[in-house]
Structure formats: C-alpha cells, structure tokens
Amino acid sequence: MKDLYLLVTIIKRDDTEEYEQFYRDNGIGVVLSLMGNGTAHEKTLSLLGIEKSEKTVLISPVTTNTLRTVKQRLTYDMHIDLPDRGVAMAIPFSGVGGARTLEYFTDKQIRTNTEVHMMQSEHELIIAIYEKGYTNMVMDAAREAGARGGTTIRAKGTAQTVEKFFGVSLAEEKEIVLIVSDVQKKKDIMMAIMQNAGVDTKAHALCFSLPVADTAGFRFAEAVEKEAE
C-alpha cells in the first residue's frame, strides 16, 4: 500500500474546527477526532513561548499527492511551524481491508495498482500504553532519554474476556501517549520507558514504534531546542 498514509495532526483543542475545515477544504473527507492532553515539560513550553493545553488528535487517510499538497498548505496557510499551532506526521499504511474501504478512505482518488516512491523522514512515532494515572512516570523516563513531550489519550480495551499479557490486563482503562522522536533517539527513549515504567513497575507500560514518512510543524521546536543546547 505505497500510496496511502495516515495523517496524524495534534493541535490545541480550541483550533479543532479550524483544522477540520482546512482538511475538508483540501479534499480530505474522512477526519476522525480524538481528545488528548499535552505532556510537554514546563521548561520546554517556556522555551517555545506556549502554554500547556488540551489537545485534539485528528487522523485522516491521505494519498501521496494529497499529502504533498496539504503539507505545503499546513505551512503557508495554517502556519503550523509557528509556536503552539500543532504538529503533523504521515504514517504509511501497510494494508487496507478491501477495495471499498480504500474507496471510502480516499474518495476514489487512488487506483489499487498505483505505484509511487515512499517519502522519507527522520522521525518515528513511539506509542506507549500504560495504566491510568502514570503519565508522569512514563514521560519522565522518556524525557531523560531525549523526548521533548507527547500527547496522551484515554483508552479502554474491548475484549469480552480479560486476557493477560506479561501480567497486564489490556481490557482495563488505559492511557496512551504518542511521542514523535528523532530516529536516532527512538531506541533510547523506548528503552528508558521499559526500564523505568515498564511491565515490572506500577505503570505496566508497553511501547512500540511506527515509521513516520513525513512531518510538518516540528521545525520551530527543533530550532529552539538546538539554540538551548
């Protein structure tokens, strides 16, 4: 599935309607909205000149051509590279459940035999799932290994029977944190989470990572971080 990506956009809750309208205006008809909270450290927020706020996570299936166009417009029309305007990342799909699903996701803008080159990026998305109430434990470990911050989402398993994985019930209420990491830091961040907030701790964290094919909105934060070093 070389021409389809999941575009994940993390923004302030107050900007939700603006971004949803922006995506509709750019031909993206399927936009799912999730509620979340930012976890950036107070020092990082101060350096960036922004405040801690509730977040919205927008997820949208997009084709390569749409992604190229939207990424440019996110920069020039939505000013996503400015402080507190959000971040966006594209994660490649590995498969889709049938032609009708593909048509729904893309509004028939893609043919199943289309072949294009994958975009490359220097980032990965780390996803950690852990017990409710232990965000600080997970994020303290991640920050020590170089993470700038993350976005938390409340979740609950839907299994009819509570099964155990490494002694952790996946059906009970959980929290999920999304951390966008430099490729070079990913291994250290994941190792720190597992060592300091993993299955042998009260947080019972499980984590994995996904490749990010493209990003928008990280340039300003990375520039400020380099100046602060």
Side-chain angles (χ1 to χ4, degrees):
M1 190 54 57
K2 294 185 178 180
D3 197 35
L4 191 61
Y5 298 83
L6 189 67
L7 180 61
V8 180
T9 312
I10 302 173
I11 55 176
K12 289 190 303 183
R13 191 80 54 85
D14 292 343
D15 294 337
T16 301
E17 290 187 10
E18 181 184 1
Y19 272 86
E20 287 178 341
Q21 186 61 51
F22 166 79
Y23 283 133
R24 286 193 293 267
D25 291 344
N26 283 275
I28 300 176
V30 179
V31 180
L32 303 177
S33 179
L34 307 173
M35 300 297 104
N37 289 283
T39 66
H41 196 277
E42 294 294 342
K43 181 178 179 181
T44 301
L45 294 172
S46 178
L47 285 171
L48 296 175
I50 61 179
E51 298 179 355
K52 187 176 293 186
S53 62
E54 295 180 320
K55 302 292 183 182
T56 296
V57 181
L58 302 177
I59 55 176
S60 318
V62 296
T63 63
T64 299
N65 290 335
T66 301
L67 178 60
R68 290 194 183 107
T69 301
V70 166
K71 180 186 176 183
Q72 188 176 52
R73 291 177 179 171
L74 279 169
T75 300
Y76 294 109
D77 297 345
M78 301 300 287
H79 310 292
I80 198 169
D81 282 315
L82 295 180
D84 221 16
R85 283 296 290 166
V87 296
M89 69 206 82
I91 302 168
F93 273 66
S94 60
V96 169
R100 296 189 66 179
T101 300
L102 183 61
E103 290 177 359
Y104 175 78
F105 276 170
T106 62
D107 197 22
K108 301 181 181 179
Q109 296 177 40
I110 180 176
R111 292 190 297 271
T112 55
N113 61 353
T114 301
E115 292 290 338
V116 297
H117 293 291
M118 298 285 282
M119 296 182 179
Q120 299 296 322
S121 175
E122 297 180 351
H123 298 84
E124 292 218 6
L125 177 64
I126 298 172
I127 300 175
I129 305 171
Y130 52 92
E131 299 290 347
K132 178 182 174 182
Y134 287 93
T135 294
N136 288 341
M137 179 184 290
V138 173
M139 286 307 305
D140 286 348
R143 289 191 193 99
E144 286 295 321
R148 285 192 298 270
T151 299
T152 59
I153 301 171
R154 291 284 176 86
K156 188 174 183 179
T158 59
Q160 293 183 350
T161 58
V162 178
E163 297 191 7
K164 297 285 183 176
F165 181 69
F166 290 121
V168 181
S169 170
L170 299 181
E172 296 173 358
E173 188 170 3
K174 302 290 181 184
E175 289 182 340
I176 298 172
V177 67
L178 310 179
I179 301 170
V180 182
S181 164
D182 295 341
V183 170
Q184 297 87 344
K185 295 180 181 178
K186 179 201 72 172
K187 183 177 179 180
D188 290 340
I189 293 172
M190 293 180 68
M191 186 176 297
I193 291 173
M194 296 313 297
Q195 288 179 346
N196 297 288
V199 294
D200 293 326
T201 71
K202 292 182 179 180
H204 293 157
L206 306 170
C207 67
F208 57 95
S209 66
L210 297 171
V212 173
D214 208 355
T215 61
F218 290 91
R219 184 172 57 190
F220 180 80
E222 290 172 348
V224 170
E225 187 178 68
K226 288 179 181 178
E227 290 179 5
E229 290 178 348

